[in-house]
C-alpha cells in the first residue's frame, strides 16, 4: 500500500515550504508513523513532525437535461510534514 498519494501544490502550501513544511494527500487509513516512514524513504529527509486532517466529502448537485443529479465528493486525508531544519524536499524532481 502506497501511503502518499500526491503532494499538494497550492499557493498557501508553497508559502509553508519556506518554513520547512510540506503537504501531501495520503490514504485515509494511514497513521502518522506510516506517513513519516513513507516520506523519509521517498525523499531521504528527516521528519520532525506530522499533522493530519480529514476533509469530509460534500454533497453536490447539478442540472443535466432538466434533471437534478446528486452525488458526493470523496473524503480525503491531508498530512502536513515538517522536516528538519536545513533539509528541503524537491517535489518537482520526479516530473
Amino acid at each position: 500500500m502506497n501511503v502518499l498519494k500526491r503532494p499538494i501544490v497550492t499557493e498557501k502550501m508553497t508559502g509553508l515550504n519556506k518554513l520547512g513544511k510540506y503537504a501531501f494527500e495520503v490514504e485515509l487509513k494511514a497513521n502518522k508513523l506510516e506517513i513519516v516512514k513513507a516520506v523519509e524513504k521517498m525523499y531521504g529527509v528527516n521528519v520532525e513532525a506530522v499533522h493530519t486532517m480529514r476533509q469530509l466529502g460534500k454533497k453536490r448537485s447539478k442540472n443535466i437535461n432538466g434533471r437534478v443529479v446528486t452525488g458526493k465528493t470523496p473524503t480525503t486525508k491531508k498530512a502536513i510534514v515538517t522536516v528538519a531544519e536545513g533539509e528541503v524536499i524537491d517535489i518537482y524532481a520526479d516530473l
Side-chain angles (χ1 to χ4, degrees):
M1 177 173 100
N2 193 6
V3 176
L4 301 177
K5 288 185 178 179
R6 64 182 181 92
I8 298 174
V9 182
T10 60
E11 189 173 348
K12 190 174 197 177
M13 291 301 139
T14 305
L16 288 178
N17 290 352
K18 298 173 186 172
L19 302 174
K21 297 182 180 186
Y22 300 89
F24 297 94
E25 184 177 332
V26 297
E27 291 289 330
L28 282 174
K29 294 187 178 183
N31 60 32
K32 291 183 180 185
L33 295 176
E34 293 173 340
I35 295 168
V36 168
K37 289 178 185 176
V39 170
E40 287 179 347
K41 182 179 177 184
M42 182 173 274
Y43 295 105
V45 295
N46 294 325
V47 176
E48 289 186 349
V50 176
H51 299 282
T52 59
M53 62 192 88
R54 289 176 52 137
Q55 183 176 2
L56 297 176
K58 299 177 183 178
K59 290 183 179 179
R60 299 287 186 199
S61 62
K62 59 183 174 180
N63 291 322
I64 298 177
N65 296 333
R67 296 181 181 173
V68 177
V69 178
T70 60
K72 187 179 175 192
T73 60
T75 299
T76 59
K77 186 172 188 177
K78 299 178 188 177
I80 298 179
V81 177
T82 305
V83 297
E85 190 172 336
E87 294 189 356
V88 176
I89 295 178
D90 189 10
I91 295 173
Y92 301 108
D94 296 334
L95 296 179

